[in-house]
């Protein structure tokens, strides 16, 4: 059955067929033909954002909260280039989004036409794949391929750039189209020989660690991970992208590793003799100086993307496959081994690790002058709001405190910009998460700097009825940069002071101007009541201006480029590794 329609109508029809219910975007000349049939669609809701960057991050938040593909749309030229940051962000964090852009008409491509930008060229290195469509007939197939590529294998962003004439021309629509992706076949089934090798190492090891990254949640393998950990008794660390994939409250959880990881997690990696790296990529923020990272550890590295394996650290046992399949197979083989009396003995290892946990818990400084410690705000948010909410962070100190001091029990409940570290991520991503999961409570934890990059999406939230809650951790500074200036630039605070004393802007008034509720909290004794008040407001977005002490710092810290062994748990305070061993 075929039907005559325009390319634009085919686009909207194809989006309906692949199950899209929400598109975030802004129209303009080149993409205008697509907006006309979109106006009539009863299945696809278009959300008019205030900046295309907001559309992109909203698509990311939607994708991460729902597990579906997020969709954003923009016009050619500046509309498309405004999507570059969220596309790069999605690429770094393997988030499945499809970005649809209008392009100038085919005869004008390459002529420096009005609002022409070679967006497929620009995004080539930051997309999993991208398409330039110049024929109306190609639109349905391209959309099907784009969604398939974005959501399968290692997820990631796909761009579909469509020339205006292709949107306007008539074509014959039929569904489903035949995909033409001969070279694209992600390997999901792990090789059984590699699984046997891995099991052998796990039983022989004295100091194994499950080093868990964002890929485990993306593979929906949290349950399998808990099973494997409990079956083997191996300790677990969860990276920034994996917070919640293994419950924080679980006794085998050692915390988050990395630059601002816990001493117990960093110590576990450094002293390990076997890292079982699952859906993780040995990022420099985790390894510190690579040459001194986990020096005595053998490596089992499982990832769906073969390009990750042995990229930064040689893998003794490489396993290409979907983490759910890999972990499932490991559970099966380790159970058989145990039933035949073969099990690792990690009791001495646990003695050492429990010592780290007890001696070096996460902590922070309180202030005698009655001012507010940002970490305390996180602790209270965690206690009052609980683990069933989504927490969406910006980038900076507040992001690290949100990672450290909020207790995550559910996979995917912490959404943040890990790989790219994109300031401005939180508000639009929280909006996208809430639109995807309207039943859930969504808190953005944002910095006063980050918030000023994308808070215009509060207008979108207020108008579209998206009652997110935003905790602005207002330290009056680009705090994370200021922290580096404190530690490494002799307290020379070049261009990090946001001039809070002048209260420009006043976040409470700003919230009100956007049709949201604005609250302010400056003292520890008011924190609980303020959070409770915010929790009671469910019809409009709420912004809480938490005015916190400007000198609070994120600890522990491994200074960039140094060894994880040189971690400090407070200024000039280093753990004593030798004495414990
Ligand atoms: C788009 C962008 N520009 C610059 C940076 C560098 N940067 C990282 S953290 C940070 C400070 C963020 O300030 P704020 O939002 O107030 O968070 P805080 O660290 O104070 O909690 C900056 C400027 C970045 N990560 N992203
Ligand atoms: Mg700040």
């Amino acid at each position: 059955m075929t039907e005559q329609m325009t390319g634009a109508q085919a686009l909207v029809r194809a989006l309906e067929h692949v199950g899209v219910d929400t598109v975030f975007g802004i129209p303009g000349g080149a993409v205008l033909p697509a907006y006309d049939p979109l106006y009539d669609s009863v299945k696809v809701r278009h959300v008019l954002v205030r900046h295309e960057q907001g559309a992109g991050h909203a698509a990311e938040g939607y994708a991460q909260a729902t597990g579906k593909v997020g969709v954003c749309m923009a016009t050619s030229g500046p509309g498309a280039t405004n999507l570059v940051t969220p596309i790069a962000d999605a690429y770094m964090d393997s988030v499945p989004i499809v970005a649809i852009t209008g392009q100038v008409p085919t005869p004008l491509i390459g002529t420096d036409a009005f609002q022409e930008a070679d967006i497929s060229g620009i995004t080539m290195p930051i997309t999993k794949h991208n398409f330039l469509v110049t024929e109306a007939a190609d639109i349905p197939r391209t959309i099907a391929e784009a969604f398939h590529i974005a959501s399968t294998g290692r997820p990631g962003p796909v761009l579909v750039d469509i020339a205006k004439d292709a949107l306007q021309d008539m074509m014959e629509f039929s569904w489903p189209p035949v995909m033409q992706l001969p070279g694209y076949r992600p390997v999901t089934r792990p090789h059984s020989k590699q699984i046997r090798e891995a099991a052998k190492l796990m039983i022989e090891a004295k100091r194994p660690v499950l080093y868990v990254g964002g890929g485990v949640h993306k593979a929906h393998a949290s349950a399998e991970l808990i099973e494997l950990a409990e079956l083997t008794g191996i300790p677990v660390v969860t990276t920034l992208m994996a917070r919640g994939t293994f419950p924080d409250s679980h006794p085998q959880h050692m915390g988050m590793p990395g630059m601002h990881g816990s001493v117990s997690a960093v110590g576990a990696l450094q002293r390990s003799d076997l890292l079982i790296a699952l859906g993780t990529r040995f990022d420099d923020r985790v390894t510190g100086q690579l040459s001194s990272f986990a020096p005595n550890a053998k490596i089992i590295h499982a990832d769906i993307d073969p390009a990750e394996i042995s990229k930064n650290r040689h893998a003794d046992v490489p396993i290409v496959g979907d983490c759910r399949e890999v972990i499932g197979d490991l559970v099966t083989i380790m159970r058989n081994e145990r039933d035949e009396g073969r099990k690792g003995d990690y009791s001495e290892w646990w003695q050492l690790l429990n010592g780290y946990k007890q001696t070096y818990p996460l902590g922070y400084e309180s202030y005698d002058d009655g001012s507010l410690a940002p970490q305390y705000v996180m602790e209270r948010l965690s206690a009052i709001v609980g683990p069933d909410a989504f927490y969406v962070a910006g980038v900076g100190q507040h992001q690290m405190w949100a990672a450290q001091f909020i207790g995550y029990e559910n996979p995917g409940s912490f959404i943040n910009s890990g790989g790219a570290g994109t300031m401005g991520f939180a508000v639009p991503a929280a909006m996208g998460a809430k639109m995807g999961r309207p039943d859930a409570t969504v808190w953005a934890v944002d910095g006063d700097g980050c918030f000023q990059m994308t808070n215009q999406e509060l207008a979108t939230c207020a108008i579209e009825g998206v009652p997110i809650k935003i905790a602005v951790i207002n330290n009056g500074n680009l705090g994370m940069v200021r922290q580096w200036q404190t530690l490494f630039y002799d307290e020379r605070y070049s261009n990090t002071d946001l001039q809070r004393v002048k209260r420009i802007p006043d976040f409470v008034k700003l919230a009100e101007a956007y049709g949201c509720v604005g609250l302010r909290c400056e003292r520890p004794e008011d924190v609980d009541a303020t959070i409770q008040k915010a929790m009671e407001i469910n019809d409009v977005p709420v912004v809480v201006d938490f005015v916190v002490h400007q000198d609070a710092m994120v600890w522990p810290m491994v200074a960039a480029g140094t060894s994880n062994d040189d971690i400090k748990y407070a200024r000039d305070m280093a753990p004593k590794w030798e004495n414990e061993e």
Side-chain angles (χ1 to χ4, degrees):
M1 273 291 287
T2 64
E3 209 181 315
Q4 281 272 328
M5 60 178 76
T6 65
Q9 288 169 325
L11 168 65
V12 174
R13 189 71 73 84
L15 292 175
E16 292 174 352
H17 275 295
V18 294
V20 173
D21 55 20
T22 312
V23 173
F24 302 92
I26 301 185
V31 78
L32 209 42
Y35 273 77
D36 195 63
L38 204 51
Y39 200 44
D40 294 328
S41 177
V42 288
K43 292 186 181 148
V44 182
R45 173 182 182 185
H46 180 273
V47 178
L48 177 61
V49 297
R50 294 300 182 266
H51 189 299
E52 289 86 354
Q53 183 183 356
H57 293 317
E60 289 187 274
Y62 176 97
Q64 294 190 74
T66 61
K68 301 197 320 190
V69 176
V71 187
C72 53
M73 201 182 262
T75 196
S76 64
T81 56
N82 274 349
L83 287 177
V84 168
T85 296
I87 290 172
D89 191 274
Y91 189 65
M92 291 290 268
D93 285 346
S94 307
V95 181
I97 63 168
V98 168
I100 298 163
T101 48
Q103 181 55 277
V104 300
T106 313
L108 295 185
I109 291 176
T111 68
D112 295 335
F114 177 65
Q115 291 193 328
E116 180 182 3
D118 175 10
I119 196 63
S120 57
I122 290 168
T123 59
M124 190 79 82
I126 53 166
T127 46
K128 183 173 173 187
H129 195 63
N130 76 32
F131 300 90
L132 170 60
V133 184
T134 55
E135 302 284 341
D138 292 339
I139 289 174
R141 176 178 52 81
T142 309
I143 291 297
E145 290 172 356
F147 278 74
H148 178 68
I149 293 171
S151 59
T152 52
R154 180 181 186 168
V158 177
L159 174 97
V160 182
D161 192 29
I162 312 176
K164 188 171 185 176
D165 50 321
L167 290 170
Q168 288 167 321
D169 288 350
M170 296 302 288
M171 53 86 70
E172 300 261 330
F173 183 90
S174 71
W175 195 268
V178 180
M179 290 197 276
Q180 295 172 9
L181 300 170
Y184 181 71
R185 253 178 252 103
V187 174
T188 56
R189 281 295 304 150
H191 201 292
S192 57
K193 177 173 167 286
Q194 301 305 88
I195 296 289
R196 287 198 299 276
E197 288 290 319
K200 188 165 160 275
L201 290 187
M202 284 162 76
I203 291 163
E204 285 167 4
K206 292 279 165 257
R207 297 177 161 205
V209 178
L210 288 158
Y211 160 26
V212 173
V216 176
H217 166 55
K218 291 196 167 74
H220 308 288
S222 174
E224 287 79 0
L225 172 68
I226 295 171
E227 208 179 342
L228 180 65
E230 292 182 346
L231 176 69
T232 58
I234 297 176
V236 179
V237 302
T238 50
T239 67
L240 185 70
M241 296 309 294
R243 305 288 292 112
T245 305
F246 191 75
D248 278 355
S249 61
H250 197 289
Q252 281 169 256
H253 191 244
M254 303 306 297
M256 175 175 80
M259 177 175 274
H260 293 297
S262 62
V263 171
S264 53
V266 173
L269 293 182
Q270 286 307 98
R271 267 139 204 83
S272 171
D273 65 359
L274 178 67
L275 297 185
I276 304 125
L278 302 168
T280 194
R281 57 188 179 86
F282 293 81
D283 177 65
D284 55 273
R285 281 294 189 267
V286 167
T287 64
Q289 182 194 51
L290 193 58
S291 58
S292 58
F293 173 66
N296 303 317
K298 286 191 176 163
I299 308 289
I300 299 166
H301 192 176
D303 204 287
I304 193 140
D305 183 356
E308 283 302 342
I309 292 173
S310 294
K311 180 181 82 178
N312 291 338
R313 172 74 179 253
H314 172 75
D316 300 283
V317 181
I319 308 177
V320 179
D322 177 85
C323 269
R324 190 164 175 188
E325 307 247 5
V326 172
I327 301 172
D329 284 4
L330 286 173
V331 167
T332 306
I333 193 166
M334 293 304 280
R335 191 180 291 124
N336 290 342
E337 293 289 322
R338 183 203 57 190
D339 292 348
E340 287 172 24
R342 285 186 293 276
K343 195 172 186 304
D345 175 7
Y346 318 131
S347 48
E348 274 181 40
W349 184 217
W350 270 112
Q351 234 170 350
L352 184 69
L353 294 181
N354 284 328
Y356 291 160
K357 265 193 177 179
Q358 271 153 25
T359 318
Y360 306 108
L362 286 175
Y364 61 89
E365 203 181 330
S366 307
Y367 304 98
D368 297 335
D369 62 359
S371 60
L372 193 52
Q375 300 93 333
Y376 178 72
V377 177
M378 304 296 160
E379 284 183 342
R380 297 315 301 158
L381 257 185
S382 183
I384 296 168
V385 177
D388 292 333
F390 285 101
Y391 297 89
V392 185
V395 169
Q397 291 182 309
H398 62 281
Q399 173 191 27
M400 293 298 121
W401 290 319
Q404 294 173 329
F405 291 97
I406 294 173
Y408 299 100
E409 298 291 308
N410 301 318
S413 52
F414 183 51
I415 297 174
N416 79 131
S417 167
T422 305
M423 287 177 72
F425 177 82
V427 172
M431 173 175 77
K434 181 74 180 167
M435 295 200 74
R437 288 287 306 280
D439 53 308
T441 300
V442 178
W443 271 91
V445 175
D446 214 0
D448 48 332
C450 291
F451 184 64
Q452 292 187 63
M453 289 199 177
T454 50
N455 66 43
Q456 74 281 350
E457 300 312 335
L458 287 177
T460 316
C461 289
I463 291 166
E464 299 279 341
V466 189
I468 57 171
K469 304 173 200 305
I470 298 149
V472 179
I473 305 304
N474 182 359
N475 55 9
N477 283 277
L478 299 171
M480 185 56 97
V481 182
R482 181 183 148 93
Q483 172 162 343
W484 288 41
Q485 290 172 332
T486 302
L487 297 173
F488 313 121
Y489 291 88
D490 216 7
E491 302 184 11
R492 286 164 51 80
Y493 297 120
S494 172
N495 292 282
T496 44
D497 184 354
L498 295 169
Q499 304 273 326
R500 173 171 63 177
V501 279
K502 297 181 187 152
R503 209 160 255 169
I504 301 175
D506 181 320
F507 293 131
V508 173
K509 287 187 188 159
L510 184 78
E512 286 165 359
Y514 277 125
C516 307
V517 171
L519 306 172
R520 178 167 291 125
C521 177
E522 306 190 63
R523 295 179 309 167
E525 57 269 32
D526 298 333
V527 170
D528 283 19
T530 310
I531 294 170
Q532 263 141 11
K533 192 160 177 197
M535 287 299 282
E536 281 159 17
I537 301 166
N538 287 311
D539 49 348
V540 287
V542 187
V543 176
V544 186
D545 181 17
F546 285 104
V547 180
V548 301
H549 202 289
Q550 71 167 0
D551 291 331
M553 287 215 249
V554 184
W555 298 107
M557 181 170 188
V558 179
T562 69
S563 169
N564 277 345
D565 287 332
D566 297 326
I567 188 171
K568 305 281 187 301
Y569 60 85
R571 200 163 183 182
D572 301 325
M573 302 289 270
K576 295 190 181 59
W577 302 118
E578 317 74 41
N579 297 359
E580 271 109 41
E581 288 190 38

